[in-house]
Amino acid sequence: MRVMKLNEVINITGLSRSSIYAYMAKGVFPKPIQLGPRAVAWVEEEIQGWLQVRLDERS
């Protein structure tokens, strides 16, 4: 399992930081895992899955 920090999630999804957190608040974006008191990261497979659903919706 690989985890990604926020900057990598931003680069892969093309979303801004505020959009990512807004989607998380709505429950439509994967939530991060806590790495430490002030550090979080997202599971790569969850982000890839979220992107795949978006691509599938286009078809």
Side-chain angles (χ1 to χ4, degrees), residues 4-18:
M4 301 184 301
K5 300 292 285 239
L6 181 59
N7 284 340
E8 190 173 359
V9 174
I10 289 170
N11 288 334
I12 288 174
T13 63
L15 298 171
S16 67
R17 178 186 187 278
S18 58

Side-chain angles (χ1 to χ4, degrees), residues 1-57:
M1 173 185 354
R2 182 171 177 275
V3 295
M4 301 184 301
K5 300 292 285 239
L6 181 59
N7 284 340
E8 190 173 359
V9 174
I10 289 170
N11 288 334
I12 288 174
T13 63
L15 298 171
S16 67
R17 178 186 187 278
S18 58
S19 293
I20 290 169
Y21 280 97
Y23 285 151
M24 283 178 11
K26 292 178 184 176
V28 296
F29 193 81
K31 296 202 186 254
I33 57 172
Q34 195 77 38
L35 297 178
R38 296 182 60 191
V40 297
W42 284 259
V43 176
E44 181 180 30
E45 290 83 8
E46 292 178 2
I47 299 301
Q48 295 295 342
W50 183 85
L51 284 170
Q52 188 62 53
V53 168
R54 300 295 149 317
L55 289 172
D56 292 345
E57 289 175 350

